[in-house]
Amino acid sequence: MKSNASKLLPTAVIAAAIGAAVTAIVMSPSEQVAEKTTASTAEKTANVTAPVNNSSTTLENVKSKGFIQCGVSTGVPGFSNADDKGNWSGIDVDACRAVASAIFGDPQKVKFTPLSAKERFTALQSGEIDILARNTTWTYTRDASLGLDFTAVNFYDGQGFMVRKSLGVKSALDLAGTTVCTEQGTTTELNMADFFRKNNMTYVPVVVQKADEALAAYDSGRCDVYTTDKSGLAAHRTKLADPSAHVILPETISKEPLGPVVRHGDNQWKDIVTWSMFVQVNAEEMGITSKNVAKTKSETNDPAIKRLLGVDSDLGAQLSLPADWAYNIIANVGNYGEVFERNVGPSTPVDLPRGLNALWTEAGGIMYAPPVR
Amino acid sequence: MSDNTTPSNNSFLNDAGNRALIFQILLLAIVVFAGYYLFSNLQANLDNRGISTGFSFFNEPAGFPILIHLIEYTEADTYGRAFVVALINTFVISLLGIILATIIGVIMGLARLSKNWLVARLATVYIETLRNIPLLLQMFFWYFAVLAALPAPRDSYEFADFLLNKRGIYSPNPIAQDGFGLVIFGFILSIVASISLIVWAKKRQTRTGLWFPAYWSSLGLIVGITFIFLAIAGFPIEFDLPQKSRFNVTGGMVLPPEFVAVLVALSTYTGAFIAEIVRAGILSVNWGQTEAARSLGLRDNMTQRLIVLPQALRVIIPPLTSQYLNLAKNSSLGAAIAYPELVAVVMGTTLNQTGQAIETIGLCMLVYGSLSLSISVFMNWYNKKMSLIER
């Protein structure tokens, strides 16, 4: 009998451990209960297609814990980067700060979780974070099969290549036979393969787990080429031993619309994140900045601006937000142009041109937001 | 009734065996129920979230490249094939690591016991240093520090037709020509001859007590016969030599720095632990055994080989098994420095491109589980074979 027990027990422990691990990957404990109730109510009332306004929306969870849990990168200057005091800044960080302003009126009510490229989706799916704002490319598969929803584009990007100036390469089409370093688990990996295959060029891929180590491998000479989104190249170049010795090639080999991501199925939360972004773009178009927003609110006669800032109407109520939600976003975080200039504009080390990310009303720009009405 | 020695009656519950059985069944029921609950919960949640499940993605084209593939692999191949490529990479690095770590461990373990002061101290320094530095750090050291010291491809170090630079170690690639089949035939013949020789030598020794150096002779036989057949066939091998090109070196065979760094880090780190196990094993054999062997007139190397080592192995093998398991599992750290093993390809790229977290992580757990179990089973078998046979 004793020998039987010792045989059975490990099986039990292993089975339980695997089960627990799998559940932990998919759900945090508090949500397991919540989701369970949703499932059972859905079973009782047949043909319920989507769980609308069930007992625990992301907004309510966020309100009850008092902050937003925001997934960011482990450090891309200009997008999400922590200084030596642990203060985060960047375009993606500001996307989360804007949502916090809309809900709480306070941009500081955000906690950040640094994630590597391969950890990010699991963290969002499992409910570890509420928003994933981590230079993530909007693709069909990610939108359709990962249980995620993309909200809005906060940066139009494209993949490029960086090489040493001393190599004398002028175009990406001269890269046949090179060794290419990149980070693991990104669309970059696939685009790179497509590009070299399309142009019948051979290459040696070196795919490193984390961006910093991929960059270190490039810097040490393991690779001739470093590839990622062009914004990322500009950001990472500032970290190299001698940034001026490296050049970003002119070709852009892919479309990389980057933006915040939320879990699929909570439409209200998705709308809040989407419109926090759209408000910033609309504000820039209307000429409202963080500096003049207070004055504009009291003086303006423009009905569109009045509507946006909640002067004589309360659009916020439709998303269970305060009436001055848009005002708070602009006052605390600024309009899209301010966010861009502050984080990646020409006055910063990243030094990116506005390019595609200029407003649609400017030459070359495609940044466009639906009207607030 | 207070008499404990005889059962009061034949009550079902009073029987220890029956009670144990009931608890077993209860436990099993709880486990099955918990498993079912977790599984159905998982299914419901996945459905709610609109996350697709299943292994159908295995037949879709992967679209990403893999640096080291020992079987044919291109971006157009499937995720399933990428998985096999990664699996082979994990097996290869684990197997080579285990072999190298054992060699390093035995040499360093013996060196630490050496009567030569310098040799013993050097071994001590090696063991104590490497055991106390995290393995990941050592991998980074071997990868980045060594890369930084090597020249760019255009300024490669050259020895004969071998090249050494930041991109790896390049050697001539032998390509078999017509008539190579004859050489393979010769090689097989030489192995058959060696086995017969060893069997004959053993029989003769049992019969007459005369000793014949069968193993060294077999080595000579294998090299000799193969070479003769090579000559008969007219050396049907051509070498593809590595050539420096504009960016890289083309042609030849290459050992990428990722592979070298992971292998060196794994084998030197685990080797340090094995060295201590070997030392403990040898110290566990009573000195009296050596004295007894000498008094029988055995030479020193025979004393070691026939008396000390077989007894030491009994102490060595069980902890050695743990080190082999550690090494196989630690190979997953190779992902950090771009060695494309299981964790890098399956839990890294595949998970991220398909989003199938449960499937890919479950698969990796299964592989590491079976890898560890096979090592364990093999070592237990070997342990049983080596253990003291009591008559």
Side-chain angles (χ1 to χ4, degrees):
Chain A
M1 271 305 140
K2 211 163 195 177
S3 67
N4 268 347
S6 60
K7 260 179 210 162
L8 184 62
L9 198 62
T11 330
V13 172
I14 291 165
I18 291 174
V22 167
T23 325
I25 290 160
V26 177
M27 302 260 69
S28 63
S30 62
E31 282 188 294
Q32 283 168 32
V33 182
E35 290 288 342
K36 198 71 191 168
T37 33
T38 321
S40 57
T41 26
E43 278 157 24
K44 276 174 209 152
T45 47
N47 295 329
V48 175
T49 44
V52 184
N53 282 336
N54 63 50
S55 57
S56 71
T57 62
T58 311
L59 179 63
E60 278 163 24
N61 276 340
V62 164
K63 275 183 179 166
S64 69
K65 56 180 181 186
F67 60 88
I68 298 168
Q69 196 72 44
C70 181
V72 290
S73 75
T74 49
V76 179
F79 286 79
S80 43
N81 203 20
D83 63 16
D84 46 14
K85 293 190 192 76
N87 298 317
W88 287 87
S89 64
I91 283 189
D92 285 334
V93 166
D94 282 347
C96 292
R97 298 226 189 272
V99 179
S101 302
I103 297 170
F104 301 109
D106 180 354
Q108 298 306 322
K109 294 205 166 170
V110 187
K111 287 191 181 166
F112 294 98
T113 307
L115 298 166
S116 75
K118 57 176 233 175
E119 294 160 350
R120 56 187 161 175
F121 298 126
T122 317
L124 183 61
Q125 288 167 338
S126 64
E128 200 184 311
I129 54 175
D130 303 309
I131 303 174
L132 174 69
R134 190 204 172 283
N135 38 8
T136 297
T137 306
W138 189 338
T139 69
Y140 173 82
T141 308
R142 287 174 178 178
D143 210 348
S145 74
L146 295 194
L148 306 176
D149 274 334
F150 284 79
T151 55
V153 176
N154 69 352
F155 196 93
Y156 288 100
D157 211 339
Q159 188 176 337
F161 297 102
M162 178 163 69
V163 296
R164 281 176 193 77
K165 272 185 187 157
S166 59
L167 222 52
V169 171
K170 292 278 172 284
S171 154
L173 294 169
D174 296 338
L175 295 178
T178 50
T179 305
V180 187
C181 278
T182 191
E183 184 190 2
Q184 185 181 74
T186 58
T187 48
T188 313
E189 228 181 313
L190 304 185
N191 295 333
M192 161 176 92
D194 286 354
F195 174 78
F196 280 94
R197 210 150 33 124
K198 190 170 79 187
N199 293 301
N200 281 320
M201 302 193 297
T202 57
Y203 71 111
V204 181
V206 178
V207 182
V208 193
Q209 202 171 29
K210 294 212 164 77
D212 279 343
E213 273 115 43
L215 194 70
Y218 168 74
D219 210 10
S220 72
R222 170 70 179 104
C223 301
D224 306 301
V225 187
Y226 181 72
T227 181
T228 186
D229 295 347
K230 280 191 156 177
S231 61
L233 290 179
H236 285 312
R237 185 161 64 167
T238 63
K239 294 188 193 168
L240 290 172
D242 177 14
S244 64
H246 303 267
V247 58
I248 296 170
L249 298 177
E251 284 86 353
T252 302
I253 65 161
S254 68
K255 288 186 289 186
E256 309 283 340
L258 311 179
V261 196
V262 295
R263 268 184 300 282
H264 183 81
D266 187 341
N267 298 337
Q268 181 198 40
W269 183 246
K270 185 196 167 191
D271 289 343
I272 291 171
V273 178
T274 304
W275 284 94
S276 297
M277 171 66 198
F278 286 163
V279 159
Q280 296 172 73
V281 178
N282 278 315
E284 186 181 11
E285 206 179 315
M286 293 170 177
I288 313 172
T289 66
S290 57
K291 310 248 169 7
N292 70 16
V293 65
K295 207 171 130 216
T296 312
K297 189 179 182 181
S298 56
E299 291 174 3
T300 186
N301 290 320
D302 186 334
I305 296 178
K306 280 186 169 177
R307 225 174 9 249
L308 180 71
L309 299 179
V311 177
D312 48 13
S313 62
D314 184 6
L315 293 180
Q318 296 172 8
L319 284 175
S320 308
L321 293 175
D324 56 353
W325 67 287
Y327 175 89
N328 286 335
I329 292 175
I330 302 164
N332 292 330
V333 182
N335 68 32
Y336 182 72
E338 290 179 275
V339 168
F340 191 99
E341 292 304 322
R342 182 170 66 231
N343 294 308
V344 295
S347 61
T348 66
V350 184
D351 187 17
L352 286 172
R354 198 62 196 268
L356 283 180
N357 294 295
L359 290 182
W360 63 291
T361 49
E362 320 261 320
I366 57 170
M367 191 50 84
Y368 182 99
V372 178
R373 66 181 316 130
Chain B
M1 270 238 219
S2 59
D3 191 355
N4 288 337
T5 51
T6 54
S8 56
N9 49 33
N10 287 340
S11 164
F12 183 75
L13 284 177
N14 271 3
D15 185 85
N18 286 338
R19 267 185 306 189
L21 192 69
I22 289 168
F23 283 121
Q24 301 270 325
I25 291 170
L26 268 178
L27 181 64
L28 186 69
I30 292 170
V31 169
V32 168
F33 176 76
Y36 169 76
Y37 174 79
L38 291 171
F39 184 74
S40 57
N41 195 7
L42 172 77
Q43 283 295 329
N45 287 323
L46 287 174
D47 284 350
N48 276 356
R49 293 277 160 82
I51 300 173
S52 49
T53 52
F55 283 96
S56 56
F57 68 91
F58 254 51
N59 297 319
E60 284 162 30
F64 57 84
I66 300 178
L67 172 66
I68 300 168
H69 45 92
L70 297 174
I71 56 171
E72 208 50 40
Y73 175 84
T74 67
E75 291 91 336
D77 282 316
T78 61
Y79 283 112
R81 197 166 177 88
F83 168 72
V84 176
V85 169
L87 199 62
I88 292 174
N89 285 344
T90 290
F91 282 157
V92 166
I93 205 84
S94 305
L95 190 67
L96 290 179
I98 283 174
I99 293 170
L100 268 179
T102 311
I103 295 171
I104 294 173
V106 169
I107 293 173
M108 285 296 163
L110 292 173
R112 198 171 177 178
L113 288 173
S114 166
K115 289 189 200 81
N116 182 319
W117 187 87
L118 187 66
V119 169
R121 285 302 168 285
L122 280 177
T124 307
V125 168
Y126 160 79
I127 290 166
E128 294 307 330
T129 313
L130 265 75
R131 285 204 315 163
N132 290 305
I133 298 173
L135 179 56
L136 186 62
L137 221 61
Q138 294 192 28
M139 281 194 186
F140 283 140
F141 170 79
W142 288 114
Y143 190 51
F144 289 114
V146 173
L147 274 188
L150 292 172
R154 269 181 278 192
D155 318 312
S156 305
Y157 295 128
E158 297 185 42
F159 321 94
D161 284 323
F162 289 78
L163 295 178
L164 176 67
N165 60 42
K166 282 183 199 290
R167 307 286 158 80
I169 303 162
Y170 292 80
S171 74
N173 187 14
I175 299 168
Q177 306 292 312
D178 282 350
F180 194 74
L182 196 64
V183 182
I184 293 175
F185 172 74
F187 181 68
I188 294 170
L189 194 74
S190 68
I191 288 179
V192 172
S194 308
I195 293 172
S196 325
L197 182 75
I198 291 167
V199 170
W200 170 80
K202 195 151 206 171
K203 269 192 187 149
R204 194 179 74 138
Q205 197 187 1
T206 339
R207 211 176 56 239
T208 65
L210 290 172
W211 185 71
F212 183 80
Y215 289 96
W216 287 111
S217 319
S218 335
L219 189 69
L221 268 181
I222 291 173
V223 172
I225 295 180
T226 311
F227 185 81
I228 290 168
F229 273 84
L230 205 60
I232 293 171
F235 295 99
I237 295 176
E238 273 184 12
F239 286 95
D240 176 23
L241 300 180
Q243 307 271 330
K244 280 184 267 182
S245 63
R246 183 170 173 208
F247 296 114
N248 280 329
V249 175
T250 53
M253 282 196 299
V254 63
L255 220 49
E258 288 78 16
F259 179 85
V260 177
V262 175
L263 186 61
V264 170
L266 276 181
S267 49
T268 51
Y269 177 77
T270 314
F273 286 89
I274 294 179
E276 288 293 83
I277 293 171
V278 169
R279 187 166 70 104
I282 287 171
L283 287 180
S284 77
V285 180
N286 196 315
W287 180 245
Q289 299 280 328
T290 309
E291 287 175 330
R294 280 183 185 162
S295 69
L296 284 174
L298 287 179
R299 270 174 278 138
D300 261 3
N301 67 337
M302 290 180 93
T303 308
Q304 286 292 331
R305 198 159 55 84
L306 299 173
I307 307 293
V308 178
L309 223 54
Q311 298 187 72
L313 272 180
R314 277 179 222 134
V315 180
I316 290 173
I317 292 170
L320 192 63
T321 309
S322 310
Q323 290 308 322
Y324 287 174
L325 294 180
N326 281 345
L327 189 143
K329 287 181 286 184
N330 283 339
S331 70
S332 60
L333 288 173
I337 56 167
Y339 180 72
E341 45 66 68
L342 206 62
V343 168
V345 173
V346 178
M347 277 171 69
T349 308
T350 304
L351 195 166
N352 214 259
Q353 302 302 350
T354 63
Q356 310 286 9
I358 291 158
E359 289 83 354
T360 49
I361 291 175
L363 202 61
C364 281
M365 285 166 72
L366 193 74
V367 168
Y368 282 108
S370 359
L371 184 62
S372 298
L373 281 177
S374 355
I375 293 174
S376 194
V377 164
F378 173 77
M379 292 302 284
N380 280 334
W381 166 81
Y382 187 64
N383 189 30
K384 205 160 251 171
K385 196 165 166 268
M386 284 293 143
S387 63
L388 195 63
I389 300 161
E390 292 174 25
R391 288 176 226 264

